[in-house]
Short mmCIF file of all heavy atoms in Angstrom, two decimals:
data_model
loop_
_atom_site.label_atom_id
_atom_site.label_comp_id
_atom_site.label_asym_id
_atom_site.label_seq_id
_atom_site.Cartn_x
_atom_site.Cartn_y
_atom_site.Cartn_z
N MET A 1 7.06 5.43 -7.36
CA MET A 1 5.62 5.56 -7.32
C MET A 1 5.01 4.20 -7.63
O MET A 1 5.44 3.52 -8.53
CB MET A 1 5.17 6.60 -8.35
CG MET A 1 3.68 6.72 -8.44
SD MET A 1 3.10 7.86 -9.69
CE MET A 1 3.76 9.39 -9.10
N LEU A 2 4.02 3.82 -6.88
CA LEU A 2 3.29 2.58 -7.13
C LEU A 2 2.11 2.92 -8.03
O LEU A 2 1.43 3.89 -7.82
CB LEU A 2 2.78 1.98 -5.83
CG LEU A 2 3.83 1.65 -4.79
CD1 LEU A 2 3.14 1.23 -3.50
CD2 LEU A 2 4.72 0.55 -5.28
N ARG A 3 1.89 2.09 -9.02
CA ARG A 3 0.77 2.32 -9.94
C ARG A 3 -0.03 1.04 -10.08
O ARG A 3 0.52 -0.04 -10.10
CB ARG A 3 1.28 2.74 -11.31
CG ARG A 3 1.95 4.08 -11.28
CD ARG A 3 2.45 4.44 -12.67
NE ARG A 3 3.25 5.62 -12.57
CZ ARG A 3 2.87 6.80 -13.03
NH1 ARG A 3 1.73 6.94 -13.63
NH2 ARG A 3 3.65 7.85 -12.90
N VAL A 4 -1.32 1.22 -10.23
CA VAL A 4 -2.23 0.09 -10.40
C VAL A 4 -3.20 0.45 -11.51
O VAL A 4 -3.75 1.55 -11.53
CB VAL A 4 -3.01 -0.19 -9.10
CG1 VAL A 4 -4.03 -1.29 -9.32
CG2 VAL A 4 -2.07 -0.54 -7.97
N ASP A 5 -3.41 -0.47 -12.44
CA ASP A 5 -4.44 -0.27 -13.45
C ASP A 5 -5.79 -0.59 -12.83
O ASP A 5 -6.02 -1.71 -12.36
CB ASP A 5 -4.20 -1.18 -14.66
CG ASP A 5 -2.97 -0.77 -15.45
OD1 ASP A 5 -2.68 0.45 -15.51
OD2 ASP A 5 -2.32 -1.66 -16.02
N VAL A 6 -6.67 0.39 -12.82
CA VAL A 6 -7.98 0.21 -12.22
C VAL A 6 -8.98 -0.11 -13.32
O VAL A 6 -9.13 0.67 -14.26
CB VAL A 6 -8.42 1.48 -11.47
CG1 VAL A 6 -9.81 1.31 -10.89
CG2 VAL A 6 -7.40 1.84 -10.39
N PRO A 7 -9.64 -1.25 -13.21
CA PRO A 7 -10.66 -1.58 -14.21
C PRO A 7 -11.74 -0.51 -14.24
O PRO A 7 -12.05 0.11 -13.21
CB PRO A 7 -11.24 -2.92 -13.72
CG PRO A 7 -10.26 -3.45 -12.74
CD PRO A 7 -9.53 -2.27 -12.17
N GLU A 8 -12.33 -0.28 -15.41
CA GLU A 8 -13.36 0.74 -15.54
C GLU A 8 -14.50 0.51 -14.55
O GLU A 8 -15.08 1.45 -14.02
CB GLU A 8 -13.90 0.75 -16.97
CG GLU A 8 -14.78 1.93 -17.27
CD GLU A 8 -15.12 2.04 -18.73
OE1 GLU A 8 -14.21 1.99 -19.58
OE2 GLU A 8 -16.32 2.16 -19.02
N SER A 9 -14.79 -0.75 -14.28
CA SER A 9 -15.88 -1.08 -13.34
C SER A 9 -15.43 -1.02 -11.88
O SER A 9 -16.22 -1.26 -10.98
CB SER A 9 -16.42 -2.47 -13.65
OG SER A 9 -15.40 -3.44 -13.49
N GLY A 10 -14.15 -0.71 -11.64
CA GLY A 10 -13.62 -0.67 -10.28
C GLY A 10 -13.18 -2.05 -9.82
O GLY A 10 -13.17 -3.00 -10.59
N PHE A 11 -12.79 -2.13 -8.58
CA PHE A 11 -12.36 -3.40 -8.00
C PHE A 11 -13.52 -4.04 -7.25
O PHE A 11 -14.39 -3.36 -6.72
CB PHE A 11 -11.19 -3.20 -7.03
CG PHE A 11 -9.92 -2.78 -7.69
CD1 PHE A 11 -9.45 -1.49 -7.57
CD2 PHE A 11 -9.20 -3.69 -8.44
CE1 PHE A 11 -8.27 -1.10 -8.17
CE2 PHE A 11 -8.02 -3.31 -9.05
CZ PHE A 11 -7.56 -2.01 -8.92
N ASP A 12 -13.46 -5.35 -7.14
CA ASP A 12 -14.45 -6.10 -6.37
C ASP A 12 -13.77 -6.60 -5.10
O ASP A 12 -12.91 -7.47 -5.17
CB ASP A 12 -14.98 -7.26 -7.20
CG ASP A 12 -16.10 -8.01 -6.53
OD1 ASP A 12 -16.77 -7.42 -5.66
OD2 ASP A 12 -16.31 -9.18 -6.87
N PHE A 13 -14.12 -6.02 -3.95
CA PHE A 13 -13.50 -6.37 -2.69
C PHE A 13 -14.43 -7.20 -1.82
O PHE A 13 -15.63 -6.98 -1.82
CB PHE A 13 -13.10 -5.11 -1.90
CG PHE A 13 -12.09 -4.26 -2.60
CD1 PHE A 13 -12.46 -3.11 -3.25
CD2 PHE A 13 -10.77 -4.63 -2.61
CE1 PHE A 13 -11.53 -2.32 -3.90
CE2 PHE A 13 -9.82 -3.86 -3.25
CZ PHE A 13 -10.20 -2.70 -3.90
N ASP A 14 -13.86 -8.11 -1.07
CA ASP A 14 -14.62 -8.87 -0.09
C ASP A 14 -14.80 -7.97 1.14
O ASP A 14 -13.82 -7.64 1.81
CB ASP A 14 -13.87 -10.15 0.27
CG ASP A 14 -14.63 -11.04 1.24
OD1 ASP A 14 -15.47 -10.51 2.01
OD2 ASP A 14 -14.39 -12.25 1.22
N CYS A 15 -16.01 -7.56 1.43
CA CYS A 15 -16.25 -6.62 2.52
C CYS A 15 -15.88 -7.19 3.89
O CYS A 15 -15.78 -6.46 4.87
CB CYS A 15 -17.70 -6.15 2.52
SG CYS A 15 -18.91 -7.45 2.82
N TYR A 16 -15.64 -8.49 3.98
CA TYR A 16 -15.20 -9.10 5.23
C TYR A 16 -13.69 -9.02 5.39
O TYR A 16 -13.16 -9.26 6.47
CB TYR A 16 -15.66 -10.55 5.32
CG TYR A 16 -17.16 -10.67 5.39
CD1 TYR A 16 -17.88 -11.10 4.29
CD2 TYR A 16 -17.86 -10.33 6.54
CE1 TYR A 16 -19.27 -11.19 4.33
CE2 TYR A 16 -19.24 -10.41 6.60
CZ TYR A 16 -19.93 -10.84 5.49
OH TYR A 16 -21.30 -10.91 5.54
N GLU A 17 -12.98 -8.71 4.31
CA GLU A 17 -11.52 -8.63 4.36
C GLU A 17 -10.99 -7.22 4.18
O GLU A 17 -9.90 -6.90 4.63
CB GLU A 17 -10.91 -9.53 3.28
CG GLU A 17 -11.19 -11.00 3.49
CD GLU A 17 -10.58 -11.87 2.41
OE1 GLU A 17 -9.82 -11.35 1.57
OE2 GLU A 17 -10.86 -13.07 2.41
N VAL A 18 -11.73 -6.37 3.49
CA VAL A 18 -11.26 -5.02 3.15
C VAL A 18 -12.30 -4.01 3.64
O VAL A 18 -13.47 -4.12 3.31
CB VAL A 18 -11.08 -4.87 1.62
CG1 VAL A 18 -10.66 -3.46 1.26
CG2 VAL A 18 -10.08 -5.89 1.11
N ASN A 19 -11.85 -3.02 4.42
CA ASN A 19 -12.82 -2.02 4.88
C ASN A 19 -12.56 -0.64 4.31
O ASN A 19 -13.38 0.25 4.46
CB ASN A 19 -12.89 -1.97 6.40
CG ASN A 19 -11.58 -1.55 7.03
OD1 ASN A 19 -10.62 -1.28 6.34
ND2 ASN A 19 -11.55 -1.52 8.35
N ASP A 20 -11.42 -0.42 3.62
CA ASP A 20 -11.13 0.89 3.05
C ASP A 20 -10.06 0.76 1.97
O ASP A 20 -9.07 0.06 2.17
CB ASP A 20 -10.65 1.84 4.13
CG ASP A 20 -10.49 3.27 3.65
OD1 ASP A 20 -11.22 3.68 2.73
OD2 ASP A 20 -9.63 3.97 4.18
N VAL A 21 -10.28 1.42 0.86
CA VAL A 21 -9.30 1.45 -0.23
C VAL A 21 -9.24 2.88 -0.73
O VAL A 21 -10.26 3.52 -0.94
CB VAL A 21 -9.73 0.52 -1.40
CG1 VAL A 21 -8.76 0.65 -2.56
CG2 VAL A 21 -9.83 -0.92 -0.92
N ARG A 22 -8.00 3.39 -0.89
CA ARG A 22 -7.85 4.72 -1.45
C ARG A 22 -6.48 4.87 -2.08
O ARG A 22 -5.55 4.13 -1.78
CB ARG A 22 -8.10 5.80 -0.41
CG ARG A 22 -7.12 5.82 0.71
CD ARG A 22 -7.58 6.79 1.78
NE ARG A 22 -6.59 6.87 2.82
CZ ARG A 22 -6.03 7.99 3.22
NH1 ARG A 22 -6.38 9.13 2.67
NH2 ARG A 22 -5.14 7.99 4.17
N VAL A 23 -6.34 5.86 -2.93
CA VAL A 23 -5.07 6.18 -3.58
C VAL A 23 -4.38 7.23 -2.72
O VAL A 23 -5.01 8.16 -2.24
CB VAL A 23 -5.33 6.73 -5.00
CG1 VAL A 23 -4.03 7.17 -5.64
CG2 VAL A 23 -6.02 5.67 -5.84
N MET A 24 -3.06 7.03 -2.50
CA MET A 24 -2.31 8.00 -1.70
C MET A 24 -0.86 8.03 -2.16
O MET A 24 -0.37 7.07 -2.74
CB MET A 24 -2.39 7.64 -0.21
CG MET A 24 -1.72 6.34 0.16
SD MET A 24 -1.82 5.94 1.92
CE MET A 24 -3.53 5.50 2.07
N PRO A 25 -0.15 9.11 -1.90
CA PRO A 25 1.27 9.18 -2.22
C PRO A 25 2.05 8.13 -1.41
O PRO A 25 1.63 7.74 -0.31
CB PRO A 25 1.68 10.59 -1.80
CG PRO A 25 0.42 11.34 -1.61
CD PRO A 25 -0.65 10.33 -1.31
N PHE A 26 3.19 7.70 -1.95
CA PHE A 26 3.97 6.66 -1.29
C PHE A 26 4.33 7.04 0.14
O PHE A 26 4.24 6.22 1.05
CB PHE A 26 5.25 6.34 -2.07
CG PHE A 26 6.06 5.27 -1.40
CD1 PHE A 26 5.75 3.94 -1.58
CD2 PHE A 26 7.10 5.60 -0.54
CE1 PHE A 26 6.47 2.95 -0.94
CE2 PHE A 26 7.83 4.61 0.11
CZ PHE A 26 7.51 3.29 -0.10
N GLY A 27 4.73 8.29 0.38
CA GLY A 27 5.12 8.71 1.72
C GLY A 27 4.00 8.52 2.74
O GLY A 27 4.24 8.10 3.87
N GLU A 28 2.79 8.82 2.33
CA GLU A 28 1.64 8.63 3.23
C GLU A 28 1.39 7.14 3.47
O GLU A 28 1.16 6.72 4.60
CB GLU A 28 0.40 9.29 2.63
CG GLU A 28 -0.79 9.27 3.54
CD GLU A 28 -2.00 9.97 2.95
OE1 GLU A 28 -1.86 10.70 1.94
OE2 GLU A 28 -3.09 9.77 3.51
N PHE A 29 1.48 6.34 2.40
CA PHE A 29 1.34 4.89 2.51
C PHE A 29 2.39 4.34 3.48
O PHE A 29 2.07 3.57 4.38
CB PHE A 29 1.50 4.26 1.13
CG PHE A 29 1.71 2.78 1.14
CD1 PHE A 29 0.67 1.91 1.42
CD2 PHE A 29 2.97 2.25 0.86
CE1 PHE A 29 0.87 0.53 1.43
CE2 PHE A 29 3.18 0.88 0.87
CZ PHE A 29 2.13 0.03 1.15
N TYR A 30 3.63 4.77 3.30
CA TYR A 30 4.73 4.31 4.14
C TYR A 30 4.46 4.65 5.61
O TYR A 30 4.67 3.84 6.50
CB TYR A 30 6.03 4.94 3.66
CG TYR A 30 7.25 4.48 4.43
CD1 TYR A 30 7.84 3.26 4.14
CD2 TYR A 30 7.81 5.28 5.42
CE1 TYR A 30 8.96 2.83 4.84
CE2 TYR A 30 8.93 4.86 6.11
CZ TYR A 30 9.50 3.64 5.83
OH TYR A 30 10.60 3.22 6.52
N GLY A 31 3.97 5.86 5.85
CA GLY A 31 3.65 6.25 7.22
C GLY A 31 2.59 5.36 7.85
O GLY A 31 2.71 4.96 9.01
N HIS A 32 1.57 5.01 7.09
CA HIS A 32 0.53 4.11 7.60
C HIS A 32 1.10 2.72 7.88
O HIS A 32 0.78 2.11 8.90
CB HIS A 32 -0.63 3.99 6.61
CG HIS A 32 -1.51 5.18 6.57
ND1 HIS A 32 -2.39 5.49 7.59
CD2 HIS A 32 -1.66 6.15 5.64
CE1 HIS A 32 -3.03 6.59 7.28
NE2 HIS A 32 -2.61 7.02 6.10
N ILE A 33 1.94 2.22 6.98
CA ILE A 33 2.55 0.90 7.16
C ILE A 33 3.43 0.90 8.42
O ILE A 33 3.38 -0.02 9.23
CB ILE A 33 3.39 0.50 5.93
CG1 ILE A 33 2.50 0.27 4.72
CG2 ILE A 33 4.26 -0.71 6.21
CD1 ILE A 33 1.57 -0.91 4.84
N MET A 34 4.21 1.95 8.59
CA MET A 34 5.16 1.98 9.71
C MET A 34 4.47 2.20 11.05
O MET A 34 5.06 1.93 12.09
CB MET A 34 6.23 3.03 9.46
CG MET A 34 7.14 2.68 8.30
SD MET A 34 7.79 0.98 8.37
CE MET A 34 8.81 1.08 9.83
N ASP A 35 3.22 2.66 11.06
CA ASP A 35 2.48 2.77 12.32
C ASP A 35 2.30 1.40 12.97
O ASP A 35 2.10 1.31 14.17
CB ASP A 35 1.09 3.38 12.09
CG ASP A 35 1.14 4.89 11.94
OD1 ASP A 35 2.19 5.49 12.23
OD2 ASP A 35 0.11 5.45 11.54
N HIS A 36 2.36 0.35 12.15
CA HIS A 36 2.04 -0.99 12.64
C HIS A 36 3.15 -2.02 12.41
O HIS A 36 2.93 -3.20 12.65
CB HIS A 36 0.76 -1.50 11.96
CG HIS A 36 -0.39 -0.55 12.14
ND1 HIS A 36 -1.03 -0.37 13.34
CD2 HIS A 36 -0.98 0.30 11.27
CE1 HIS A 36 -1.98 0.53 13.20
NE2 HIS A 36 -1.97 0.96 11.97
N ASN A 37 4.29 -1.60 11.93
CA ASN A 37 5.36 -2.54 11.61
C ASN A 37 6.71 -2.04 12.11
O ASN A 37 6.87 -0.88 12.44
CB ASN A 37 5.42 -2.79 10.10
CG ASN A 37 4.21 -3.56 9.62
OD1 ASN A 37 4.08 -4.74 9.87
ND2 ASN A 37 3.28 -2.87 8.96
N ASP A 38 7.69 -2.92 12.06
CA ASP A 38 9.01 -2.57 12.56
C ASP A 38 9.91 -2.00 11.45
O ASP A 38 9.51 -1.91 10.30
CB ASP A 38 9.67 -3.77 13.23
CG ASP A 38 9.84 -4.95 12.29
OD1 ASP A 38 9.92 -4.76 11.06
OD2 ASP A 38 9.92 -6.08 12.80
N GLU A 39 11.12 -1.63 11.83
CA GLU A 39 12.05 -1.01 10.88
C GLU A 39 12.43 -1.95 9.73
O GLU A 39 12.64 -1.49 8.62
CB GLU A 39 13.30 -0.54 11.61
CG GLU A 39 13.04 0.64 12.52
CD GLU A 39 12.47 1.84 11.78
OE1 GLU A 39 12.98 2.19 10.69
OE2 GLU A 39 11.49 2.42 12.28
N GLU A 40 12.52 -3.24 9.97
CA GLU A 40 12.85 -4.17 8.88
C GLU A 40 11.76 -4.14 7.82
O GLU A 40 12.06 -4.14 6.64
CB GLU A 40 13.06 -5.59 9.38
CG GLU A 40 13.41 -6.51 8.22
CD GLU A 40 14.15 -7.76 8.64
OE1 GLU A 40 14.62 -7.85 9.78
OE2 GLU A 40 14.25 -8.63 7.78
N MET A 41 10.51 -4.11 8.24
CA MET A 41 9.41 -4.01 7.28
C MET A 41 9.54 -2.72 6.48
O MET A 41 9.33 -2.69 5.28
CB MET A 41 8.07 -4.05 8.01
CG MET A 41 6.87 -3.90 7.12
SD MET A 41 6.68 -5.33 6.06
CE MET A 41 5.05 -5.04 5.43
N GLY A 42 9.94 -1.64 7.14
CA GLY A 42 10.15 -0.37 6.45
C GLY A 42 11.24 -0.47 5.39
O GLY A 42 11.09 0.06 4.29
N ARG A 43 12.33 -1.16 5.70
CA ARG A 43 13.41 -1.33 4.72
C ARG A 43 12.92 -2.13 3.52
O ARG A 43 13.27 -1.83 2.37
CB ARG A 43 14.61 -2.01 5.37
CG ARG A 43 15.41 -1.07 6.27
CD ARG A 43 16.72 -1.67 6.72
NE ARG A 43 16.53 -2.83 7.59
CZ ARG A 43 16.34 -2.78 8.90
NH1 ARG A 43 16.29 -1.61 9.50
NH2 ARG A 43 16.20 -3.88 9.60
N VAL A 44 12.11 -3.16 3.77
CA VAL A 44 11.58 -3.97 2.66
C VAL A 44 10.68 -3.11 1.77
O VAL A 44 10.78 -3.17 0.54
CB VAL A 44 10.80 -5.19 3.22
CG1 VAL A 44 10.03 -5.89 2.12
CG2 VAL A 44 11.75 -6.16 3.91
N ILE A 45 9.81 -2.30 2.37
CA ILE A 45 8.92 -1.43 1.59
C ILE A 45 9.73 -0.42 0.78
O ILE A 45 9.45 -0.20 -0.40
CB ILE A 45 7.93 -0.70 2.54
CG1 ILE A 45 7.01 -1.68 3.24
CG2 ILE A 45 7.13 0.35 1.77
CD1 ILE A 45 6.04 -2.42 2.36
N ARG A 46 10.75 0.17 1.37
CA ARG A 46 11.60 1.12 0.64
C ARG A 46 12.35 0.43 -0.51
O ARG A 46 12.52 0.99 -1.58
CB ARG A 46 12.61 1.79 1.58
CG ARG A 46 11.98 2.76 2.52
CD ARG A 46 11.60 4.01 1.78
NE ARG A 46 11.08 4.99 2.72
CZ ARG A 46 10.51 6.11 2.34
NH1 ARG A 46 10.40 6.41 1.07
NH2 ARG A 46 10.05 6.95 3.22
N ASP A 47 12.77 -0.83 -0.31
CA ASP A 47 13.44 -1.58 -1.36
C ASP A 47 12.49 -1.83 -2.53
O ASP A 47 12.86 -1.71 -3.69
CB ASP A 47 13.97 -2.92 -0.80
CG ASP A 47 14.76 -3.69 -1.83
OD1 ASP A 47 15.67 -3.10 -2.46
OD2 ASP A 47 14.47 -4.89 -2.00
N ILE A 48 11.25 -2.17 -2.22
CA ILE A 48 10.24 -2.37 -3.28
C ILE A 48 10.04 -1.07 -4.05
O ILE A 48 10.01 -1.07 -5.29
CB ILE A 48 8.92 -2.88 -2.67
CG1 ILE A 48 9.09 -4.31 -2.15
CG2 ILE A 48 7.80 -2.80 -3.71
CD1 ILE A 48 7.93 -4.79 -1.33
N GLU A 49 9.93 0.05 -3.34
CA GLU A 49 9.75 1.33 -4.00
C GLU A 49 10.92 1.63 -4.94
O GLU A 49 10.72 2.09 -6.08
CB GLU A 49 9.63 2.46 -2.98
CG GLU A 49 9.49 3.82 -3.64
CD GLU A 49 9.74 4.99 -2.72
OE1 GLU A 49 10.50 4.84 -1.75
OE2 GLU A 49 9.16 6.04 -2.99
N ALA A 50 12.13 1.34 -4.51
CA ALA A 50 13.32 1.61 -5.32
C ALA A 50 13.36 0.78 -6.60
O ALA A 50 13.91 1.22 -7.61
CB ALA A 50 14.58 1.37 -4.50
N ARG A 51 12.76 -0.40 -6.57
CA ARG A 51 12.78 -1.27 -7.74
C ARG A 51 11.68 -0.96 -8.74
O ARG A 51 11.71 -1.46 -9.86
CB ARG A 51 12.69 -2.73 -7.32
CG ARG A 51 14.00 -3.21 -6.68
CD ARG A 51 13.96 -4.67 -6.43
NE ARG A 51 13.41 -4.87 -5.09
CZ ARG A 51 12.72 -5.93 -4.70
NH1 ARG A 51 12.49 -6.90 -5.52
NH2 ARG A 51 12.27 -6.03 -3.47
N LEU A 52 10.70 -0.15 -8.36
CA LEU A 52 9.59 0.15 -9.27
C LEU A 52 9.90 1.29 -10.19
O LEU A 52 10.58 2.17 -10.00
CB LEU A 52 8.33 0.44 -8.47
CG LEU A 52 7.81 -0.73 -7.66
CD1 LEU A 52 6.61 -0.29 -6.83
CD2 LEU A 52 7.40 -1.88 -8.56
#
């Protein structure tokens, strides 16, 4: 599971770089990542998940 400490005031995003931010389960995140990346990227993401 990926975890992030969210400041009480929230995050400050550059609206020219970020258009959407939300919390989701890893499997859903992985699915979104794999819609746009290859299998090697998927292996790297799974390796990161395993180390957390």
Side-chain angles (χ1 to χ4, degrees):
M1 176 183 297
L2 302 172
R3 294 179 188 251
V4 175
D5 291 327
V6 178
E8 191 171 309
S9 61
F11 291 108
D12 185 23
F13 298 102
D14 183 334
C15 64
Y16 295 105
E17 295 181 7
V18 177
N19 63 1
D20 187 30
V21 176
R22 65 188 184 124
V23 175
M24 65 180 73
F26 180 83
E28 186 178 346
F29 166 74
Y30 183 80
H32 285 288
I33 292 294
M34 293 312 294
D35 281 348
H36 305 288
N37 291 288
D38 60 25
E39 290 302 315
E40 180 157 348
M41 178 68 168
R43 285 189 294 275
V44 169
I45 297 293
R46 289 286 184 189
D47 184 51
I48 291 170
E49 178 196 28
R51 287 187 270 151
L52 296 176

